[in-house]
Amino acid sequence: MAHTDHQTMRRVLRREIAGTIGLLTDEHDFRAMRHYRSFSFDDHKIYLQQMEALLRTRASQGSHTTIALFDPQEYAEFCAETGLDPDNAASRTRFTAELATTGPTVPYQGQPLADLVPTLVDEAVRQATWEYASTLLARLGACATCGEDIGRSAFVRASSLLVRILDTAQPGSRHLVCSVTGTPEALVSVLHAEEDTEGATHLDEAEALEFTTVLAVGLATRSPGGLVMRTSAPGTSDRIYGWRLRGDGLEPLTAGEVFDAYCTDIDSGDLISPESGVDYCVPPDLGNEEAPPGHHH
């Protein structure tokens, strides 16, 4: 009887334990891990099937699981830095535990891996973009003329612009894309925002942080780039408009420039038929600031 009670308590406690699983999402990474003898899988498709079965089992038992992106190169570097043997299952577990606190993760909520993997990859790209953009801002240092931190000032300026862009947008769903091309590597960030029936705007904080940081890089380095927004609301046509980065601010694009950008094939230069039910238009006036935040030397 006591033994049965102990088993029951252990099953209950098992449901209290949250877990993280490091997932090899593509064939290339999977092949890299096969170099380790302790890694027993030899077929990526079967590996994913078994992983999905494990996730379903844990979910059916009431266990919460998050999925992390397992990168073999980062794993090798982690083992070298910590003195761990990379050809050891315990080392992979240690690395996965590290990913749970520092790397991109998504919760498993019963969705097929085919749906979860793109979300996980997008999260990894978003975090990498933010880290790279943050590094670029930090490297700008202080202004030689006034001593102001250029990166921090640009971030404040970008935050102010984003708030004004959202405040002047029509109610509904907003999809924003910011691209900066003049840095060592091109940066692209996407932000989704929704407005509820009471007029409050809801957005993902991590997305907003990354988006603002990328915009700040463009402003601080005065790099070529642009910001485009698409707004959607029931009963109305979608509206698409945007700005080009100009100096430490934004310059409105004309309706014709927006139309050309959306209706021209990037590779061939051929015209593409415009979407039905979409208005390509000029952006709303963002208003004038008496003393715009940001660094202006």
Side-chain angles (χ1 to χ4, degrees), residues 76-266:
E77 293 171 355
F78 172 81
C79 290
E81 292 171 358
T82 56
L84 294 173
D85 176 11
D87 198 358
N88 189 298
S91 300
R92 293 194 288 275
T93 302
R94 285 272 302 274
F95 177 64
T96 300
E98 183 81 7
L99 291 177
T101 58
T102 62
T105 62
V106 296
Y108 177 72
Q109 298 173 321
Q111 68 271 51
L113 275 187
D115 296 334
L116 185 147
V117 168
T119 303
L120 180 59
V121 172
D122 287 346
E123 183 67 22
V125 170
R126 185 172 71 182
Q127 181 167 320
T129 299
W130 172 76
E131 290 175 351
Y132 179 67
S134 298
T135 300
L136 290 179
L137 283 181
R139 287 177 177 173
L140 294 175
C143 173
T145 301
C146 67
E148 186 173 7
D149 188 298
I150 298 173
R152 184 180 298 114
S153 179
F155 188 87
V156 172
R157 172 69 169 156
S159 300
S160 174
L161 287 170
L162 178 57
V163 169
R164 289 160 61 204
I165 287 170
L166 293 174
D167 284 347
T168 57
Q170 69 177 25
S173 174
R174 299 88 176 266
H175 178 83
L176 299 89
V177 179
C178 180
S179 59
V180 178
T181 59
T183 54
E185 292 187 26
L187 296 171
V188 178
S189 182
V190 177
L191 176 63
H192 302 87
E194 300 285 343
E195 186 177 85
D196 62 24
T197 54
E198 298 179 354
T201 298
H202 301 274
L203 44 78
D204 182 275
E205 291 185 3
E207 269 192 5
L209 176 60
E210 180 215 340
F211 189 92
T212 306
T213 305
V214 169
L215 177 58
V217 168
L219 298 176
T221 60
R222 298 176 181 259
S223 298
L227 192 159
V228 177
M229 178 156 72
R230 180 173 186 148
T231 63
S232 305
T236 64
S237 298
D238 284 8
R239 303 179 74 236
I240 299 177
Y241 52 82
W243 300 261
R244 65 171 54 86
L245 300 186
R246 181 73 74 186
D248 63 351
L250 299 174
E251 179 181 272
L253 296 172
T254 67
E257 288 173 325
V258 176
F259 180 89
D260 289 343
Y262 270 82
C263 300
T264 303
D265 184 273
I266 297 177

Side-chain angles (χ1 to χ4, degrees), residues 7-27:
Q7 285 184 326
T8 301
M9 284 189 288
R10 281 195 291 268
R11 282 197 296 268
V12 172
L13 286 172
R14 199 174 291 123
R15 291 198 295 267
E16 301 291 327
I17 299 173
T20 302
I21 292 177
L23 185 66
L24 295 160
T25 58
D26 62 54
E27 185 74 34

